[in-house]
Amino acid sequence: MYDGIRLGHQEPQVRHGFSLCRIVDAGTADQWYDLLGIVRVPVDRLAPDKLRDQLRPWALTTLATGGFGFGRYYACYSTLDEDDEPDKAIAHEDISWSGSTVLVPADQTAISC
């Protein structure tokens, strides 16, 4: 250390983020992901997996407050590349959204013929 300056190589800090995409043409061969937004999130180095549990609540709050309509959405917790774009996925959620709440598939065993 020289006059308060540390000499030596420091590893660049890995950035993390939550991202939300609309799945366009979901379930078809032409399916693609329209990136709607990315939010950088701070990571607790002692408990980096804590953010996994926060992904779904963040995505549902974002969908509810953002006025997003009916459709399928993909939320992802990932590292971010040098351009702050999603890079390596750590966790993800597929969400079917009614425009106001999560759509849950009907229980197939409850259907009587």
Side-chain angles (χ1 to χ4, degrees), residues 21-24 26 63 68-74 94-103:
C21 297
R22 175 185 283 276
I23 304 173
V24 180
L63 288 168
F68 293 98
F70 178 84
R72 294 216 20 229
Y73 295 86
Y74 175 82
D94 290 311
I95 302 168
S96 295
W97 185 249
S98 74
S100 60
T101 62
V102 174
L103 295 171

Side-chain angles (χ1 to χ4, degrees), residues 14-19 41 43 48-53 55 74-80 86-93:
V14 177
R15 295 176 312 278
H16 293 80
F18 288 162
S19 58
V41 291
V43 176
D49 289 337
K50 259 202 249 184
L51 287 172
R52 289 176 191 261
D53 297 335
L55 176 61
Y74 175 82
C76 186
Y77 164 43
S78 67
T79 59
L80 301 175
D87 190 21
K88 295 179 182 142
I90 298 168
H92 70 275
E93 293 279 339

